[in-house]
Amino acid sequence: MKVLKVDHVGVAVEKLDEALAFYTGVLGLDLHGTETVEEQKVRTAFLPLGDTEIELLESTDPEGPIGKFIAAKGQGIQHIAYRVADIDAALSELKEKGVRLIDEKPRYGAGGARIAFLHPKATGGVLVELCERKGS
Ligand code: ZN
């Protein structure tokens, strides 16, 4: 398995508009676009930064993963995403090694990526997302 780079850092926020005011207005990052991912009950905003991106995540449903995360821990860094060239190969290798996965199969992620989450108990407490994008 080969990790190519940090694809993005996922940050859970209560209000996307307020967070964007900070990230674009104060830090001066460019907003690349927003997308609602129904399946994950989240509205996302991507802010490219050098070779990686910041992904802001606003919950659209208190029962969704970001809603639950904020209820338990408050706003903050929610996951780190590593770009891999072949997510299917990466997942079968991790399964072989007995790494606990949240997603056994890749699912749809914002921006058309194929993503899968590893369980934080298998990664030293960090929610890790694997991310495969066309052209990577
Ligand atoms: Zn992500």
Side-chain angles (χ1 to χ4, degrees), residues 34-126:
T34 61
E35 181 179 350
T36 299
V37 181
E38 298 290 348
E39 190 194 309
Q40 291 184 60
K41 301 178 182 1
V42 73
R43 197 157 75 97
T44 63
F46 279 92
L47 303 115
L49 178 59
D51 194 32
T52 188
E53 290 186 330
I54 302 298
E55 177 187 52
L56 302 178
L57 303 148
E58 177 193 68
S59 180
T60 59
D61 182 334
E63 291 306 308
I66 298 303
K68 285 181 181 166
F69 176 88
I70 288 178
K73 297 183 177 171
Q75 302 188 99
I77 292 177
Q78 198 256 349
H79 66 271
I80 184 162
Y82 295 115
R83 173 91 59 95
V84 293
D86 183 342
I87 197 169
D88 301 291
L91 286 173
S92 43
E93 186 182 327
L94 290 167
K95 255 183 262 179
E96 235 166 65
K97 289 179 173 166
V99 175
R100 190 167 162 195
L101 304 173
I102 292 176
D103 299 308
E104 301 264 320
K105 287 180 186 156
R107 53 175 150 139
Y108 176 83
R114 298 173 71 219
I115 66 167
F117 286 98
L118 316 189
H119 200 284
K121 287 204 167 126
T123 64
V126 177

